[in-house]
Amino acid sequence: MILAHKIKLDPNNGQRTYFAKAAGTARFAYNWALEEWKSRLDIGGYVTEAELRRLLNSIKREKYPWMLEVTKCAPQIAIMNLGAAFANFNNNKAEFPQFHKKGRNDSFGLSNDQFIIDGKKIRIPNLGWVRMAERLRFDGKIIDAVVSRKSSKWFVSIRVEMPDAQPIHTVTSDSQAVGVDLGLHNLAVLSDGTAIAGAKPHKAMLARERRLNKSLSRKQGAKEGEKKSRNFRKTQLRLSGLHARIANIRNDGAHKLTSMLTQNYPIIGIEDLNVSGMAKNHRLARSLLDMSFYEFKRQVIYKSSITGSSVVIANRFYPSSKTCSTCGIKLDEDIPLSVRAWFCPVCNTHHDRDINAAINLRNNAVSYTVSACGELMEVVTSMKQELNIING
């Protein structure tokens, strides 16, 4: 099992300069390799990332001597990342790689033999010891690290290979299952009726974001080709800091919810929402993306592998909202989002829309993980099935 711990760094001014140089070197190497790769493709040829790394090593002392000022891992790992990007493109998992832009996702990688962790310090080649905000919380074999910048702050993400965790769950009854219905008003509604409110940080800080964007547009440097003034960069930094704060609040809510679910329930039923399709509705897009449904799904899946929970993902066409959780009848027509409650025409049960959907997700999760005699049965992950099972 591989886990990553992201720790805030506390560098001095000289170390910040080094980080910026290393990130710039990684960006240059990535863009240089992408240009070489595209030129080979244009003439019908092909090249590998290993060939490009050897080529850069052979010419960098003569053409790019400034690369020697930072760790050798910065350009090498950047080209390896390009190779992974092309592999994803060839497997239809991602778009064609694009050139990296300065100031956007600035980062550089380090192999495990190029840094040392000692308590709340990390030693980086050609730089020395840099203070960290906390100790590495995982014990195991260190694989690699990535130093990245978010707004004006620097972080290091350290990946550690650890022995597989012992599951903390043992299923003894169906009551240990939970269904989770994600929504726009509440982040989630559980099958037991519990509603977890969403923080909605973007909505709360939208007015401030608009003021900063308006202020930024008036500064020298806002127009294309115009030299950026110091005030432009200051405002740009404040705006990026606001976006970082919004993302942190959103991720914090998702982490607390997914940790609670995976630590308390051995069977979790969720649904596979078509977020990209739903976001095309411009009336819902802002509220939808502010809830970060995909991040919730990603976190609950990887945390379930640690706690031993089984996550059952219902197909996006599964009618969780318009199926009666009492008698099982399915309505012929869709229920508009404005309708928050309805009566079953067969058993006359009054349903809260969200709670009813959560109960249906729980029932389906149980039916796909527990056999008729009540014993836990083995399930296999398959995107072609009506329900996708991801075992912890």
Side-chain angles (χ1 to χ4, degrees):
M1 178 174 59
I2 297 177
L3 295 176
H5 185 190
K6 191 172 185 178
I7 305 173
K8 181 182 175 182
L9 297 174
D10 184 21
N12 56 37
N13 289 336
Q15 292 168 343
R16 289 177 184 273
T17 301
Y18 177 92
F19 289 159
K21 286 182 178 180
T25 300
R27 180 178 59 253
F28 177 87
Y30 184 95
N31 292 340
W32 172 87
L34 179 56
E35 184 65 36
E36 290 287 332
W37 206 310
K38 291 177 66 176
S39 63
R40 301 285 184 92
L41 292 178
D42 290 341
I43 60 176
Y46 186 75
V47 67
T48 64
E49 54 90 7
E51 293 173 352
L52 290 175
R53 285 191 287 123
R54 288 194 293 268
L55 177 59
L56 181 61
N57 279 334
S58 65
I59 65 174
K60 68 179 182 180
R61 291 183 179 274
E62 179 181 352
K63 289 189 174 182
Y64 314 116
W66 43 267
M67 282 189 173
L68 304 177
E69 298 177 7
V70 299
T71 172
K72 63 180 181 181
C73 294
Q76 294 295 301
I77 293 181
I79 299 177
M80 293 170 64
N81 292 338
L82 177 64
F86 269 105
N88 290 332
F89 169 72
N90 294 331
N91 293 328
N92 297 321
K93 294 181 179 179
E95 300 293 332
F96 191 87
Q98 301 295 318
F99 291 103
H100 286 182
K101 185 177 180 181
K102 182 179 179 179
R104 183 175 299 175
N105 299 324
D106 287 341
S107 64
F108 64 95
L110 294 169
S111 58
N112 59 359
D113 61 336
Q114 292 295 306
F115 66 94
I116 301 173
I117 300 292
D118 182 14
K120 297 172 66 174
K121 298 183 297 181
I122 179 173
R123 190 178 187 280
I124 299 177
N126 300 342
L127 180 61
W129 293 99
V130 182
R131 292 176 294 181
M132 302 191 300
E134 58 180 313
R135 297 174 182 271
L136 180 63
R137 67 175 68 139
F138 302 135
D139 293 326
K141 179 183 177 182
I142 295 178
I143 299 177
D144 55 25
V146 175
V147 178
S148 60
R149 175 167 55 189
K150 179 180 286 189
S151 185
S152 60
K153 299 180 176 63
W154 287 93
F155 299 84
V156 59
S157 179
I158 304 169
R159 291 201 306 161
V160 181
E161 184 178 5
M162 304 172 58
D164 292 341
Q166 293 297 321
I168 65 175
H169 294 305
T170 301
V171 180
T172 59
S173 66
D174 296 353
S175 62
Q176 293 179 288
V178 67
V180 184
D181 180 66
L182 303 178
L184 299 180
H185 178 65
N186 294 306
L187 172 59
V189 175
L190 308 186
S191 52
D192 61 4
T194 304
I196 292 91
K200 303 178 183 179
H202 186 249
K203 181 180 180 181
M205 302 182 189
L206 183 59
R208 184 180 176 188
E209 182 194 26
R210 285 173 172 169
R211 287 196 299 270
L212 287 175
N213 273 316
K214 190 173 183 179
S215 176
L216 186 67
S217 67
R218 294 171 172 173
K219 299 292 188 290
Q220 179 182 336
K223 297 180 180 179
E224 186 176 356
E226 192 175 38
K227 184 178 179 180
K228 293 179 174 56
S229 65
R230 181 174 296 181
N231 284 335
F232 178 90
R233 297 189 183 279
K234 287 182 180 179
T235 307
Q236 190 179 42
L237 194 61
R238 291 174 60 194
L239 183 60
S240 65
L242 179 64
H243 285 300
R245 184 182 178 191
I246 292 172
N248 290 339
I249 295 173
R250 187 182 293 134
N251 289 335
D252 179 68
H255 273 295
K256 289 177 179 177
L257 174 57
T258 53
S259 294
M260 183 273 292
L261 292 173
T262 54
Q263 291 173 9
N264 290 282
Y265 298 99
I267 301 176
I268 304 170
I270 63 176
E271 54 187 336
D272 183 21
L273 297 174
N274 182 16
V275 177
S276 59
M278 296 167 65
K280 294 179 181 179
N281 184 338
H282 294 283
R283 294 183 178 181
L284 301 177
R286 180 182 295 156
S287 299
L288 181 73
L289 298 177
D290 204 14
M291 289 297 190
S292 191
F293 291 160
Y294 179 81
E295 181 64 15
F296 166 84
K297 176 183 174 183
R298 186 191 71 84
Q299 290 185 17
V300 78
I301 288 175
Y302 90 76
K303 290 180 181 180
S304 66
S305 65
I306 301 174
T307 62
S309 300
S310 293
V311 179
V312 182
I313 307 178
N315 186 283
R316 63 182 55 175
F317 299 108
Y318 177 72
S320 60
S321 296
K322 63 178 184 178
T323 299
C324 176
S325 58
T326 302
C327 66
I329 188 69
K330 186 177 77 172
L331 301 182
D332 295 330
E333 297 180 358
D334 292 336
I335 304 176
L337 289 176
S338 58
V339 177
R340 308 312 304 168
W342 56 280
F343 282 94
C344 176
V346 176
C347 64
N348 204 34
T349 303
H350 179 266
H351 290 298
D352 178 275
R353 177 195 182 102
D354 298 332
I355 298 177
N356 177 68
I359 294 174
N360 284 325
L361 291 172
R362 182 201 63 191
N363 294 340
N364 276 275
V366 171
S367 67
Y368 272 80
T369 53
V370 180
S371 65
C373 61
E375 296 178 352
L376 189 66
M377 68 178 189
E378 185 178 0
V379 288
V380 181
T381 302
S382 173
M383 294 302 292
K384 296 180 180 179
Q385 296 175 344
E386 180 184 5
L387 291 171
N388 303 329
I389 313 301
I390 298 175
N391 274 320

